[in-house]
Amino acid sequence: MDENKERAKGKLDEVVGNVKQGFGNLTGNERLEAEGRAQELGGESRQSVAKGVGTAKGAAEETKGNLKEGAGNLFGNDRLAAEGEVDQIQGEGRQRFNQ
């Protein structure tokens, strides 16, 4: 799952749902208003799931980086240690982005 695409799709559903809700309210169309609310809630849920996936991927990436850095330090491999540090930073960034 590409969590960024899912977040964007969720945001779009949320916005379209809001528009439908407003139009239904304006015209007195309760069905359209309800459909809009359902679509809005679906979009919010989709975004939440995508954020959870992104956070989990970031945590895994950070853990992988910790292991690589540790192995690099243990075996005196500076390149592996540096790659591990980069992975850690990327994982931390992904987690912050998805909070």
Side-chain angles (χ1 to χ4, degrees):
M1 167 194 282
D2 182 353
E3 69 270 12
N4 292 328
K5 286 182 183 177
E6 288 300 311
R7 286 178 73 174
K9 289 176 183 178
K11 189 64 175 174
L12 180 62
D13 279 345
E14 184 181 350
V15 169
V16 170
N18 274 323
V19 170
K20 282 183 178 179
Q21 218 176 338
F23 191 70
N25 188 31
L26 183 68
T27 61
N29 186 334
E30 291 178 5
R31 181 175 177 215
L32 185 60
E33 191 174 349
E35 284 177 12
R37 181 69 180 141
Q39 188 169 1
E40 177 188 9
L41 291 174
E44 290 173 359
S45 295
R46 191 175 206 168
Q47 289 178 77
S48 293
V49 169
K51 285 180 180 182
V53 168
T55 299
K57 285 182 178 180
E61 192 171 17
E62 182 181 6
T63 300
K64 178 182 84 170
N66 282 329
L67 294 172
K68 279 173 80 173
E69 183 180 16
N73 289 335
L74 181 64
F75 297 114
N77 185 332
D78 292 337
R79 180 176 177 206
L80 185 61
E83 287 176 5
E85 193 172 342
V86 169
D87 287 344
Q88 284 179 46
I89 292 168
Q90 287 176 334
E92 290 168 0
R94 179 176 268 184
Q95 290 176 78
R96 277 194 299 275
F97 176 72
N98 285 293
Q99 289 179 346

